[in-house]
Amino acid sequence: MPKSKVRKKTAYTPPADRRTPVKVRAAGPSPLIYKIVMFGLMLLGLAWLVVNYLAGEKLSFMLELGNWNFAIGFALMISGLLMTMRWR
């Protein structure tokens, strides 16, 4: 059986007139205050839930909030977790 001919392929080069290169500025590390606030929110939310479980009936403002204590604690923790997406 005869062997087929091998075709040479030319390397693809994109046209230069369609796109101009744009320099992207490298983002530096996050400032220290960002990290402090991020971890602080997560720990504050955790502390809010722990205090609610342990001493929620003894604290009048927590007793008035009722089940909203869970929303406050989880909202604080989730806001800290959402901040981790922008952390460099």
Side-chain angles (χ1 to χ4, degrees), residues 50-69:
V50 168
V51 168
N52 180 41
Y53 276 115
L54 297 179
E57 295 141 3
K58 297 176 185 175
L59 300 172
S60 63
F61 71 95
M62 280 195 157
L63 190 60
E64 292 174 7
L65 287 174
N67 287 335
W68 282 101
N69 286 310

Side-chain angles (χ1 to χ4, degrees), residues 4-40:
S4 63
K5 295 181 181 179
V6 178
R7 297 181 189 166
K8 291 185 179 181
K9 295 182 182 179
T10 58
Y12 175 74
T13 55
D17 60 341
R18 289 192 181 178
R19 183 167 181 229
T20 58
V22 177
K23 282 192 172 184
V24 177
R25 195 174 75 190
S30 297
L32 181 63
I33 189 69
Y34 189 85
K35 296 173 194 173
I36 292 171
V37 170
M38 178 181 66
F39 289 120

